[in-house]
Amino acid sequence: MTTRVHDCVGGLLVHEGRILLGRRRDDCDWLSGAWDVFGGHVEAGESGEQAIARELGEELGIAPLGLSYLETIEGAAPQPWRLRLYLVLGWEGAPALLAEHDELRWCELEEAQAKLAGAHPDFPRLLELAVKAATGR
């Protein structure tokens, strides 16, 4: 029997050197109560770019103006998953709580790294990469 791998996408929004994270509602089926980036599962027939655009609209009410693929990370808990991360290169609209999260926070790099370090060991490096790419420093 083949184990299903959850194919996911995540968007890193950076503004003035800070990264937008969300705390998932306690009643979510997937990673309840955890801090995470915005995104979700790729639906059948979608590209990664199409999936992240859809997810950002559903979760935050924004439309990305550009995306830059960063890297793919993988994990095994709570079930096998693969996450393609994108830097969001600008967006239309103001991020708002629409689904799955009960808190939004623009985090300084160190705070974001601390909140996501337990989710995957590559998150701190990738968050730093995103901030550098977004700010040019």
Side-chain angles (χ1 to χ4, degrees), residues 12 37 70-75 81 83 85 109 112-113 116-130:
L12 297 174
V37 300
L70 291 173
E71 194 169 307
T72 298
I73 58 177
E74 297 181 10
W81 55 271
L83 176 66
L85 286 168
L109 176 59
Q113 289 172 319
L116 297 183
H120 193 278
D122 285 339
F123 261 123
R125 175 182 59 80
L126 292 169
L127 293 169
E128 183 174 3
L129 179 67

Side-chain angles (χ1 to χ4, degrees), residues 1 16 20 31-32 42 47 70 73 90 108 131:
M1 176 191 284
E16 297 179 352
L20 186 64
L31 303 175
S32 63
V42 178
S47 68
L70 291 173
I73 58 177
E108 297 294 335
V131 169

Side-chain angles (χ1 to χ4, degrees), residues 3 9 37 40 48 54 64 78 81 84 89 92-94 108 112 120 129 134:
T3 302
V9 291
V37 300
R54 176 184 50 76
W81 55 271
R84 286 177 270 173
L89 304 170
E92 285 184 343
E108 297 294 335
H120 193 278
L129 179 67

Side-chain angles (χ1 to χ4, degrees), residues 19-33:
I19 302 163
L20 186 64
L21 297 181
R23 193 183 86 71
R24 295 178 63 80
R25 291 190 327 245
D26 289 333
D27 63 351
C28 286
D29 292 336
W30 186 262
L31 303 175
S32 63

